[in-house]
């Protein structure tokens, strides 16, 4: 002890009275010595925590309590950097165990046995894998029940009681077939099996149930509002059907009413128009001089889908497009405009219905349903003609970008998955031609 410390100690024992200044000096010296000893002990303990590879360091609060254990070791691939992780005060054993496990992984990296990755990246990948495992175990019936419960109008409002009742009935038509499957187990082949089976509910109810099933599966391909990944990578409700042949197209056209006959040619050979886009065509959308068709509208029945048919927006913004009208279509187009349309009124429809102002999709699809039976192609729809247009363009040498522009798509995945159908005869022809040309060149 110093002389001052001895005096302070004696004053406490013998009851000496010190001035305030002397008392503060005395206290500072005594407790300062204690604090110095505490810091020394903490530093000594930290040194004991060091090992030959990496460190486990105790972090203290101002009160001298351990608040965390910090583990660090040299970065195995970037010189001068360190990898570190922090553990709770009661996790000293976990911290030392983690350091040993990391040393093992780094040793495997140095020996060329395993590629080391940063612990943060490993943790993120493990969480993603865990999420994927959970997503893969979602039952179809559970997801459909959630989808039905949260079903809303496009503007976010709840649907009317009658609409929700119809929704429940539509789901009941397909639920018994799929309810025991996981969501990820539903494939296009399984859907095709259900589609081809007998349906006692009738054609119109069956059509609605198909639309509901497709909507449910499409919803599962979207990311969650909380940022969670989608449950399905793509919608399995797709049927890869062969493109329509020239002979089948001729029978389809001949089987349609004369005032809508042009629609099958437009859908197959001009822009792959959807049924709603065909019904939404107006006189001002056709430029005969430039041989251009402007796709600007579709038709619908309003927000509740119960009103009169009206012009509306196209399915997507990219669906608004300008497409070329082929030379071979121009004569029948001119004849159609002359026979059935009021060309003096720009906003009059191209396909004029018999009993209303605007052609409805229901009417046009009903006419096509009869025509496809006569053409012996019960699998065809206007969507099938649209897919035929894309496939035939590619077979004629059109690029994927050109096909996407023609059909109004922005996603290559959609174009390839839904429309680039494989034609076996064409593929065989390409392979035969390739082999013949190579053998011919090699023999020269």
């Amino acid at each position: 002890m110093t002389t001052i410390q001895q005096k302070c100690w004696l004053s406490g024992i013998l009851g000496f009275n010190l001035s305030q200044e002397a008392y503060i000096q005395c206290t500072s010296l005594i407790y300062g010595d204690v604090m110095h000893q505490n810091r020394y002990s903490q530093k000594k303990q930290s040194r004991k925590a060091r090992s030959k590879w990496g460190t486990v360091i105790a972090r203290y609060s101002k009160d001298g309590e351990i608040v965390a254990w910090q583990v660090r070791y040299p970065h195995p691939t970037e010189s001068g950097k360190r990898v570190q992780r922090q553990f709770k005060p009661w996790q000293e054993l976990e911290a030392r165990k983690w350091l040993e496990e990391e040393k093992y992984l780094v040793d495997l990296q140095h020996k060329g046995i395993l590629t080391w990755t940063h612990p943060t990246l490993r943790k993120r990948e493990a969480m993603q894998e865990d999420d994927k495992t959970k997503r893969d175990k979602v039952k179809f019936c559970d997801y459909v029940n959630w989808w039905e419960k949260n079903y809303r109008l496009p503007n976010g409002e709840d649907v009317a009681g009658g609409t929700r009742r119809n929704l429940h009935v539509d789901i009941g038509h397909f639920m018994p077939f799929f309810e025991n499957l996981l969501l990820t187990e539903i494939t296009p082949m399984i859907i095709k099996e259900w589609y081809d089976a007998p349906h006692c509910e009738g054609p119109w109810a069956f059509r609605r149930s198909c639309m509901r099933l497709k909507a449910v599966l499409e919803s599962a391909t979207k990311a969650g509002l909380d940022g969670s990944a989608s449950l399905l990578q793509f919608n399995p409700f797709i049927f890869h059907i062969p493109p329509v042949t020239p002979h089948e197209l001729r029978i389809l056209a001949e089987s349609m009413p004369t005032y809508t006959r042009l629609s099958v040619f437009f859908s197959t050979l001009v822009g792959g128009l959807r049924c709603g886009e065909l019904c939404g065509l107006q006189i001002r959308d056709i430029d005969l001089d430039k041989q251009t068709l402007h796709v600007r509208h579709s038709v619908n029945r309003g927000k509740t889908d119960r009103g009169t048919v009206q012009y509306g927006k196209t399915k997507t913004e990219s669906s608004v497009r300008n497409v070329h009208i082929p030379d071979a279509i121009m004569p029948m187009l001119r004849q159609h405009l002359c026979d059935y349309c009021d060309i003096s009124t720009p906003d009059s429809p191209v396909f004029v219905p018999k009993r209303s102002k605007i052609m409805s999709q229901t009417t046009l699809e009903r006419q096509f349903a009869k025509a496809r039976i006569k053409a012996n192609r019960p699998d065809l729809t206007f969507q099938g003609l649209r897919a035929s247009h894309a496939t035939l363009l590619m077979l004629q040498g059109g690029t994927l970008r050109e096909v996407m522009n023609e059909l109004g798509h922005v996603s290559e995945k959609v174009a390839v998955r839904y429309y680039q159908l494989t034609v076996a005869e064409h593929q065989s022809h390409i392979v035969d031609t390739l082999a013949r040309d190579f053998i011919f060149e090699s023999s020269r």
Side-chain angles (χ1 to χ4, degrees), residues 4 10 25 30 57 76 108 147 329 333 400 432 441:
I4 297 177
L10 287 174
Q25 185 180 12
I30 294 176
I57 304 174
L108 294 179
W147 181 85
I329 302 294
L333 172 58
L400 180 59
D432 289 340
E441 289 293 331

Side-chain angles (χ1 to χ4, degrees), residues 174-214:
F174 61 74
M175 180 61 80
F177 189 91
F178 299 100
E179 63 182 344
N180 294 324
L181 296 174
L182 298 176
L183 187 61
T184 53
E185 291 177 335
I186 298 177
T187 63
M189 291 300 296
I190 293 177
I191 296 176
K192 188 68 163 60
E193 182 182 348
W194 167 78
Y195 187 90
D196 293 337
H199 296 278
C200 59
E201 63 269 19
W204 299 114
F206 173 63
R207 178 180 178 273
R208 288 199 309 270
S209 65
C210 287
M211 295 173 63
R212 299 299 188 192
L213 176 58
K214 186 175 182 179

Side-chain angles (χ1 to χ4, degrees), residues 265-274 277-278 281 285-296 318-327 329-330 333 386 389 393 401-409:
F265 290 104
F266 270 14
S267 190
T268 308
L269 301 174
V270 186
L273 269 66
R274 300 178 178 92
E277 294 170 348
L278 291 167
L281 286 177
D285 296 330
I286 297 177
D287 189 332
L288 294 176
D289 295 331
K290 296 181 180 179
Q291 293 186 211
T292 302
L293 181 67
H294 304 284
V295 183
R296 297 188 179 102
S318 62
S319 297
V320 177
R321 61 198 187 277
N322 300 327
V323 296
H324 175 68
I325 305 174
D327 295 338
I329 302 294
M330 290 301 295
L333 172 58
R386 177 174 164 83
H389 180 63
L393 280 179
R401 181 70 264 174
E402 291 169 336
V403 173
M404 291 171 61
N405 291 341
E406 186 78 1
L407 275 72
H409 276 300

